[in-house]
Amino acid sequence: MEFNAAVLHRTNDPLSVEVVRVGDLRPTDVLVRIRASGLCHTDLEVMQGQLAYPLPIVLGHEGAGIVERVGADVTLVKPGDHVVCSWNPSCGHCYYCDRGEPILCEPYSHHQPRGHLLDGTSRMTVGGQKLHHFSVVSSHAEYCVVPETGAIPVPKEIPFDRACLIGCGVMTGVGGAARVARIPAGSNVAVLGCGAVGLNAIQGARLQSAERIIAIDRDPARLALATEFGATDLIRADEPDVVARVKALTGGRGADCVLESAGHVDAYRLSSEITRPGGDLVWLGKVNVDRDVAFRWGSLMGEKRITRSSYGGARPRRDFPWLARLYLDGRLKLDELITMRLSLAEINLGFAAMIRGETVRAVVEFPE
Amino acid sequence: MEFNAAVLHRTNDPLSVEVVRVGDLRPTDVLVRIRASGLCHTDLEVMQGQLAYPLPIVLGHEGAGIVERVGADVTLVKPGDHVVCSWNPSCGHCYYCDRGEPILCEPYSHHQPRGHLLDGTSRMTVGGQKLHHFSVVSSHAEYCVVPETGAIPVPKEIPFDRACLIGCGVMTGVGGAARVARIPAGSNVAVLGCGAVGLNAIQGARLQSAERIIAIDRDPARLALATEFGATDLIRADEPDVVARVKALTGGRGADCVLESAGHVDAYRLSSEITRPGGDLVWLGKVNVDRDVAFRWGSLMGEKRITRSSYGGARPRRDFPWLARLYLDGRLKLDELITMRLSLAEINLGFAAMIRGETVRAVVEFPE
Amino acid sequence: MEFNAAVLHRTNDPLSVEVVRVGDLRPTDVLVRIRASGLCHTDLEVMQGQLAYPLPIVLGHEGAGIVERVGADVTLVKPGDHVVCSWNPSCGHCYYCDRGEPILCEPYSHHQPRGHLLDGTSRMTVGGQKLHHFSVVSSHAEYCVVPETGAIPVPKEIPFDRACLIGCGVMTGVGGAARVARIPAGSNVAVLGCGAVGLNAIQGARLQSAERIIAIDRDPARLALATEFGATDLIRADEPDVVARVKALTGGRGADCVLESAGHVDAYRLSSEITRPGGDLVWLGKVNVDRDVAFRWGSLMGEKRITRSSYGGARPRRDFPWLARLYLDGRLKLDELITMRLSLAEINLGFAAMIRGETVRAVVEFPE
Amino acid sequence: MEFNAAVLHRTNDPLSVEVVRVGDLRPTDVLVRIRASGLCHTDLEVMQGQLAYPLPIVLGHEGAGIVERVGADVTLVKPGDHVVCSWNPSCGHCYYCDRGEPILCEPYSHHQPRGHLLDGTSRMTVGGQKLHHFSVVSSHAEYCVVPETGAIPVPKEIPFDRACLIGCGVMTGVGGAARVARIPAGSNVAVLGCGAVGLNAIQGARLQSAERIIAIDRDPARLALATEFGATDLIRADEPDVVARVKALTGGRGADCVLESAGHVDAYRLSSEITRPGGDLVWLGKVNVDRDVAFRWGSLMGEKRITRSSYGGARPRRDFPWLARLYLDGRLKLDELITMRLSLAEINLGFAAMIRGETVRAVVEFPE
Ligand SMILES: [Zn+2]
Ligand SMILES: [Zn+2]
Ligand SMILES: [Zn+2]
Ligand SMILES: [Zn+2]
Ligand SMILES: [Zn+2]
Ligand SMILES: [Zn+2]
Ligand SMILES: [Zn+2]
Ligand SMILES: [Zn+2]
């Protein structure tokens, strides 16, 4: 079949909406008709060449839609299901899946950076040429082909534009607080960086019944938004005395748990300074893999612990429907994350706004 | 009373053995007649001025001896008990003690760097001048005054020279592996740096029934010793391909757990590179508090975890007698750690040998 | 000094309000002027002889008041502090305190059942005769003498009648859910028995962001109250099909976590039947120590786990002020727990109402 | 194809060695040529009707052999691999597999008790009639058909008769200690019941560097064997004062961890009495699912924890090769477990010896 997709042919070029082609579904494939697709900073990293992927490629890894057709052996979803795509499907039986660490799934880790599905091949072509999948999703398109473990059913009541956000930023932020960090009820938490991940880390900390939730960002507008998501205290990251401010709010000790979601070397450094002795640092943001990350040795002393998490400890089939139900129950904010809506044809406008720091999330919507 | 002690008057001066004086014991004080005291690298850091302490001071924090006299309210020990000193006694009721983190005890953290006991005062004078305690121990002396929670009874069968080692290097290394790290039986472990702490981390990993224990050090003699302590594989730290070597020994993935005990910025960096995705890094070594510690961001990705531990998760009253019994049962090596024996008068020779890298542990022995 | 206290002279007799006497404070004693004291079922067990304690005794272990005077060595509180009493003070340095399990403190376990403070003596007399302390509190009196680790400062804003509840039922229930059980956000929880502990377990599960909170009790009035505390589903314990009802609410599997707070052998048995495979049972209720507790073997199969907790994993100095702040922030319900208010002279009316099942909590109030 | 298998046609009849038939392999099937098959008590429970399974059935769930042929989609094993069968293969993607609890895999739990493979069908017939699989293994036969996740490659150096034991009793016992229980190095452990599981729990506790390992059994011969496996203290279960004996060996407190592997209601009751406050009970044994298990309430008080485990926390593809390597390294005892060797034709003699309590493990061997 053929459909429109936003194709990246060369880094630093705009995306080009073109007709692409997929062949027959393999036995565990699922064809999803995309209804909404969020623009995430990781897409931009590929467009700008900071994150190297084989080209051409269809970006987009925060997608929601309706299952259109399934392969012969698919049992986990059926046509008509509303699904959110997971950008980290797992095989179920490799070294890491066997150990209960599906985020590290070896077929995924091997094939995903090569622009392939878990079986090591692509399903898409453009102009007769092989076209690559991005993180086993490629949702900036009218359709996508994903393995059945990457198509997660959610309640039909949640609108697609809200649902798609669950697939990356919401899961990473909420999960960073609720699945990865140690936040016993009553903890003091600091969150560095109030983008989509950080705002969700804040509401994750709220779900954990943290007492004080300190939001830190350079942008006053982001801090204002942080309050809506549950922050109890706001600090401008460019104030001269951030460390002292955090200590003043936490009995002089520092936060029990610090969630870094700024993805900046200064934030890693700061995160260590503002954590109390014995406290927990969770690093959700990322920089280029070859960059050095550094901190003052004395700031880590005192039995601190750092955990790197890339997807908020996601178990998508447990967590995605839960997050959708939380939203439907009014206990999780999603509406406030969407600051821009676009058609697929307008997708480059969304990335331009992201570069200017104007968006929390821009979402591409597809007509019914 | 009066006794001989090795006093540091000025940094970079040798220690000076002089007669010092202690006054009456306070209610929870314990007077220990020291029988053996190990020379630890942390002592040297104070002598060389890297670690700032008020002077004059009596160094030594790996001490073993016999309880000579106790204060009026002491219940945990009695005269005649053989004890190993803990350099991290705790108050039992502060913010951190209440939370089950006695290593972070606030009276300890406040008073110890000031050269005081937990009540904020010194018990010692030299030439009429206030003399400071080192880490609430000061064992390079014929006697020391410590709080009762710092004097830990051990079986009388263990010789003092072996017993004293339990108080710092053995506890830190064995505990780093057995109390702090996650080493389920069958894990592959790497240990960076095979000094006293590293060799004990190796035997701690052996106690955890690690499968492969990879020792890494620059010094071939240290690596040879590592084998005796349980290392199954040896790597010269100055080989060009240490990362590749570790991966080749661990199915291409890296070690499940890496214990850093070299105390060097290069070792921190390397530790991250040789840990498998999802694996555990435990940092036992230390550098100056103002030094930067850095690593390549890409080396930490993949859900890794770093834990800083300063005393191997010590619960001295649980762990010191256990370590002594392990030695007496032939299941813990201590004899092999002692590479030099000295009288108090010869103590500067021990530090000189330490600077030349000739010792694992030099121990000052005191006559009966 | 002399003051009025409700004394139990013989089991099955009413309490008798009499003038009792305390001598001088010992160095770590704290004298608390009681302002409110809750009536807990454990008091009744002593009055009825199910729980054997030496007599005469002053009952009451849910007390709040103002520090009147402190012993010479007290550092943790000062006169004028508003405090809630802990019925499980700890020594800080025994076998269990050393291991981070202060609830099992050995001096406490030894002296408390003998009606003594932690030093093994009583401070009270009545008519010249030794008078026993109950659980190191004895708050059904105008004053009580407790060790400093048993007097926990809380914010002065919280009224005493609300504050006193924190000392037993609230801590046990909220802590059972938030400190002892494993309730990751999104869990389905069932609570058996909706008395003071059960209602607090419900609000503890709410603080953990449980998704479904199923309350089970025989009494429709208690179930109605459970809704206010956060229960999402209600089941009458005498319905014929409780197990099927719970399974119907939990995808056919049973609850992820079941908190037993009924203190009845039928409830223990039921708790195992309604837990899903791999799930967590936490037993907060209690029956007589010599009673047998039984369940069907097949109901425990499937990797279930049972944890007994007597005080909700209390760390009083961490948790009591936190619970008070939660109340002051409107996030913890306490007002709804108080169903009867009494003067000390009326205390027997409160126990009579408890026997008739009419109260959640009756609270004795003392004039300013 | 056709081969010989020991068929159970009716409960309480002997097994009958007959020619059975398997059809074509399905895509994820593996055909294993069995070389050794251990007789486990669970087989006997089916023969005696205590454990209800559809008949006719081929018993045997401790099998080792060589992969003969694989289905079209198999990737985890290949012909010629030496494998040990897992009696708890998992689907990788169901509710429980998704949560990291593959032992509870829902397709397994549904189909296994019906005598089917994970796809809900049987592969075997006898005399034209459907023949059932036992626990997805059926190793008392010359061949078996299992899903690829149930055939676990192990090193070729380990003899088959030793290897097969890993598949049930060794995994359950060693894993109960090393994967399920909390046994920090230096713990005091008691093991109730010194059959195949108990002896392996003892060597599991040894691998965890337990200090004292107390073996309890009625049979002096079993206790003698327990010493070989690492027990440090032996107690006859029929002595009048078992509780006092355990307390005398453990500082008066009880064992830190008790592993029940007797599968008897008296042992469950005793296990609770001999655990120290705050300690861990792990129940590995089993009784009929409708039996009541009871204990004295007072014996569980004091913050104890009970965990039921049916397969020692097995992650077969992580643990089976590890256990094989431990044996090959001389660190795991397997030879001593085999007390009887039989041909398939003699299999009923093995069960007769088991009923008389004469065996630890009888193993059926198959010629090359
Ligand atoms: Zn993303
Ligand atoms: Zn995988
Ligand atoms: Zn040291
Ligand atoms: Zn402290
Ligand atoms: Zn109570
Ligand atoms: Zn204690
Ligand atoms: Zn078995
Ligand atoms: Zn499954």
Side-chain angles (χ1 to χ4, degrees), chain C residues 38-43 61-62 87 134 167-169 172 197 286 361:
Chain C
L39 274 54
C40 173
H41 200 267
T42 306
D43 296 331
H61 61 281
E62 257 190 27
W87 57 252
F134 181 53
C168 182
T172 302
V197 172
K286 58 184 192 298
R361 266 302 188 256

Side-chain angles (χ1 to χ4, degrees), chain D residues 336-354:
Chain D
E336 295 77 358
L337 293 168
I338 304 175
T339 48
M340 191 176 193
R341 290 164 199 278
L342 306 149
S343 69
L344 184 61
E346 300 165 321
I347 191 166
N348 290 303
L349 298 178
F351 285 108
M354 183 192 290

Side-chain angles (χ1 to χ4, degrees), chain C residues 22-46:
Chain C
V22 296
D24 292 342
L25 295 186
R26 302 204 182 166
T28 58
D29 283 354
V30 172
L31 179 72
V32 178
R33 186 175 161 215
I34 295 291
R35 294 293 309 281
S37 181
L39 274 54
C40 173
H41 200 267
T42 306
D43 296 331
L44 187 64
E45 292 170 31
V46 179

Side-chain angles (χ1 to χ4, degrees), chain A residues 101-128:
Chain A
E101 304 175 83
I103 287 173
L104 300 171
C105 175
E106 293 195 321
Y108 171 81
S109 300
H110 184 78
H111 296 302
Q112 180 270 121
R114 288 166 176 79
H116 292 154
L117 299 190
L118 297 192
D119 65 355
T121 66
S122 163
R123 299 287 183 280
M124 299 189 288
T125 54
V126 63

Side-chain angles (χ1 to χ4, degrees), chain C residues 27-301:
Chain C
T28 58
D29 283 354
V30 172
L31 179 72
V32 178
R33 186 175 161 215
I34 295 291
R35 294 293 309 281
S37 181
L39 274 54
C40 173
H41 200 267
T42 306
D43 296 331
L44 187 64
E45 292 170 31
V46 179
M47 293 169 68
Q48 296 181 333
Q50 292 148 32
L51 194 56
Y53 267 84
L55 305 179
I57 194 166
V58 178
L59 296 174
H61 61 281
E62 257 190 27
I66 303 175
V67 173
E68 178 93 9
R69 214 159 57 229
V70 301
D73 295 348
V74 167
T75 61
L76 298 173
V77 290
K78 60 182 186 309
D81 282 355
H82 290 204
V83 295
V84 172
C85 297
S86 161
W87 57 252
N88 200 141
S90 58
C91 78
H93 297 299
C94 70
Y95 179 91
Y96 289 110
C97 286
D98 266 350
R99 275 160 181 75
E101 305 175 81
I103 287 174
L104 301 170
C105 175
E106 292 196 323
Y108 171 81
S109 300
H110 184 76
H111 295 303
Q112 181 270 119
R114 288 165 175 79
H116 291 154
L117 298 190
L118 296 193
D119 65 356
T121 66
S122 164
R123 298 288 182 282
M124 300 188 288
T125 56
V126 63
Q129 185 191 358
K130 171 171 154 185
L131 180 57
H132 294 89
H133 300 255
F134 181 53
S135 210
V136 201
V137 179
S138 291
S139 58
H140 295 333
E142 291 171 340
Y143 290 87
C144 70
V145 178
V146 298
E148 63 173 327
T149 58
I152 315 299
V154 294
K156 294 190 181 183
E157 291 74 16
I158 184 169
F160 292 106
D161 57 345
R162 261 61 50 98
C164 73
L165 306 178
I166 290 173
C168 182
V170 174
M171 180 71 244
T172 302
V174 174
R179 300 293 183 231
V180 178
R182 292 181 297 188
I183 305 184
S187 297
N188 293 323
V189 174
V191 175
L192 278 165
C194 297
V197 172
L199 292 169
N200 281 293
I202 288 168
Q203 62 183 339
R206 187 176 43 74
L207 288 167
Q208 292 297 112
S209 293
E211 179 156 9
R212 214 175 259 286
I213 303 176
I214 304 166
I216 305 174
D217 199 293
R218 289 175 185 277
D219 180 349
R222 293 285 171 99
L223 289 177
L225 202 49
T227 305
E228 286 188 55
F229 279 78
T232 60
D233 299 272
L234 309 176
I235 299 179
R236 288 278 300 271
D238 45 7
E239 289 179 35
D241 54 356
V242 174
V243 175
R245 288 283 313 280
V246 174
K247 291 199 173 169
L249 292 167
T250 53
R253 296 185 182 93
D256 298 308
C257 178
V258 176
L259 295 144
E260 191 285 333
S261 49
H264 192 285
V265 291
D266 292 350
Y268 296 120
R269 180 180 292 275
L270 180 60
S271 69
S272 178
E273 300 281 354
I274 63 176
T275 306
R276 76 157 168 83
D280 228 32
L281 292 87
V282 176
W283 286 352
L284 302 172
K286 58 184 192 298
V287 293
N288 287 0
V289 292
D290 291 324
R291 284 294 298 275
D292 259 16
V293 168
F295 47 83
R296 191 176 61 86
W297 174 247
S299 75
L300 193 77
M301 301 270 291

